[in-house]
């Protein structure tokens, strides 16, 4: 689709809710009538297992196989290995073999653009492609950023994860200048937040004060919810697992924010083209 938007869900700090956000934003977009492809770009394969494929090491084709073919300049059928989830999203799965691809990318020609080369062929078929990045700023994450139109940064409502934002924003800026000038930061999403605590409130205030002038901070705050954590073992989104949960309502609101932002950007782009 001409309007396909590729979004990386990224933060080099682990445990910030990247995978949960990818799943629930993806299914939320599908519930809103959008065609969505999720890409597991983490060798741990958490996105793959969260969607119900609990033995990713035995999947016949994963992201690592496709990227290796591109690195070797071998023929690639991009639809080979795509998994279809019952909640209306498609998945490019990953497993531990992806860690070997990161090593291969170091010496590959046009190494930063390998993932982009793979994902470009999907743009006619989807409205959104969401990439669940690994918790590091290595070559796979650089590939994801090079392939993306924008980045969403989930930030856990604790002080230390907030400190890592500066390094991530610097890396994104470097990718903008040297590799992908179209890359934008859509915003930071506060996750795993118990807003009854002083710590969560202080983190939210600090996020807005320190970064609010640089990037958007989403109005939605994703609350701490046991049900949201349990969804990873169920192979479902929070909507199917417990649609009345506070986290389900929050992800629904967040999805609306993402769609509204996308519409604004499209309208701005169309207006600039017609001038």
């Amino acid at each position: 689709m001409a309007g396909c938007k590729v979004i990386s869900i990224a933060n080099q700090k682990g445990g910030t809710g990247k995978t949960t956000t990818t799943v629930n934003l993806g299914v939320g977009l599908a519930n809103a009538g959008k065609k969505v492809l999720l890409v597991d770009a983490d060798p741990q394969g958490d996105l793959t297992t969260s969607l119900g494929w609990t033995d990713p090491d035995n999947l016949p084709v994963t992201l690592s196989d496709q990227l290796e073919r591109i690195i070797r300049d071998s023929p690639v059928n991009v639809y080979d290995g795509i998994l279809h989830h019952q909640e209306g999203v498609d998945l490019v799965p990953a497993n531990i073999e992806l860690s070997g691809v990161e090593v291969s990318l170091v010496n590959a020609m046009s190494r930063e653009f390998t993932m982009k080369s793979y994902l470009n062929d999907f743009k006619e078929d989807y409205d959104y492609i969401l990439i669940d990045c690994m918790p590091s700023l290595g070559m796979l994450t650089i590939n994801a950023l090079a392939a993306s139109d924008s980045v969403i940064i989930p930030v856990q409502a604790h002080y230390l994860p907030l400190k890592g934002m500066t390094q991530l924003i610097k890396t994104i800026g470097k990718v903008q200048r040297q590799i992908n000038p179209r890359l934008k930061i859509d915003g930071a999403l506060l996750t795993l937040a118990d807003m009854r605590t002083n710590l969560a409130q202080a983190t939210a205030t600090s996020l807005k004060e320190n970064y609010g002038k640089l990037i958007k901070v989403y109005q939605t705050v994703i609350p701490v919810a046991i049900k949201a954590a349990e969804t990873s073992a169920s192979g479902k989104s929070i909507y199917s697992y417990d649609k009345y949960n506070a986290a389900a309502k929050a992800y629904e609101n967040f999805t609306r924010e993402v769609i509204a932002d996308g519409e604004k950007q499209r309208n701005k782009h169309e207006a600039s083209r017609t001038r």
Side-chain angles (χ1 to χ4, degrees):
M1 295 184 180
C4 179
K5 184 173 184 181
V6 184
I7 305 174
S8 280
I9 315 295
N11 193 325
Q12 78 272 25
K13 175 75 175 64
T16 60
K18 287 189 297 293
T19 298
T20 304
T21 297
T22 305
V23 169
N24 293 308
L25 174 58
V27 173
L29 290 166
N31 289 343
K34 309 297 183 182
K35 293 186 177 179
V36 182
L37 177 67
L38 306 181
V39 181
D40 193 345
D42 185 348
Q44 295 179 80
D46 288 344
L47 179 61
T48 303
T49 54
S50 291
L51 288 169
W53 286 275
T54 55
D55 190 13
D57 291 343
N58 285 319
L59 289 170
V61 179
T62 63
L63 179 61
S64 60
D65 298 300
Q66 300 289 49
L67 296 183
E68 283 283 7
R69 285 169 187 156
I70 292 170
I71 290 168
R72 295 195 306 266
D73 202 25
S74 301
V76 177
N77 175 1
V78 293
Y79 300 100
D80 197 11
I82 298 293
L83 302 174
H84 307 285
H85 191 268
Q86 61 192 9
E87 293 183 69
V89 294
D90 292 343
L91 171 70
V92 179
N95 57 26
I96 195 63
E97 291 178 7
L98 193 58
S99 58
V101 174
E102 185 149 39
V103 177
S104 301
L105 283 169
V106 172
N107 296 314
M109 188 175 292
S110 302
R111 59 186 183 177
E112 294 93 351
F113 300 105
T114 305
M115 194 179 299
K116 181 178 183 179
S117 176
Y118 170 58
L119 294 179
N120 273 347
D121 287 331
F122 290 111
K123 289 188 174 182
E124 292 296 317
D125 301 310
Y126 295 98
D127 297 301
Y128 287 90
I129 298 174
L130 306 182
I131 308 173
D132 184 23
C133 296
M134 64 190 299
S136 81
L137 296 176
M139 189 52 66
L140 282 170
T141 300
I142 299 299
N143 258 258
L145 296 176
S148 295
D149 299 301
S150 63
V151 188
I152 290 173
I153 307 171
V155 184
Q156 189 180 2
H158 288 171
Y159 173 64
L160 287 175
L162 189 59
K163 285 179 71 178
M165 283 276 289
T166 302
Q167 183 58 46
L168 179 59
I169 289 172
K170 280 183 181 175
T171 299
I172 292 169
K174 196 172 183 180
V175 172
Q176 285 172 325
R177 290 189 301 274
Q178 300 182 11
I179 300 171
N180 181 7
R182 293 173 61 250
L183 184 66
K184 294 179 174 62
I185 299 176
D186 278 344
L189 173 69
L190 200 63
T191 63
L192 302 168
D194 183 349
M195 297 309 289
R196 297 168 299 179
T197 67
N198 291 335
L199 177 61
Q201 290 177 20
T203 304
T205 300
S206 180
L207 181 64
K208 287 172 183 170
E209 286 180 353
N210 292 314
Y211 299 101
K213 291 179 182 177
L214 298 173
I215 62 175
K216 172 178 177 171
V217 177
Y218 286 103
Q219 291 182 354
T220 303
V221 173
I222 308 299
V224 172
I226 298 299
K227 294 286 186 182
E230 289 173 353
T231 58
S232 298
S234 72
K236 301 175 183 176
S237 75
I238 187 67
Y239 308 109
S240 287
Y241 191 74
D242 184 1
K243 67 180 179 179
Y244 299 110
N245 188 270
K249 298 294 184 188
Y251 273 116
E252 198 171 354
N253 290 336
F254 173 56
T255 301
R256 288 197 197 99
E257 282 196 74
V258 170
I259 292 172
D261 285 352
E263 292 299 324
K264 277 183 199 171
Q265 289 167 13
R266 279 195 195 97
N267 292 340
K268 194 182 289 185
H269 179 66
E270 288 298 322
S272 66
R273 286 178 61 190
T274 54
R275 280 175 193 159

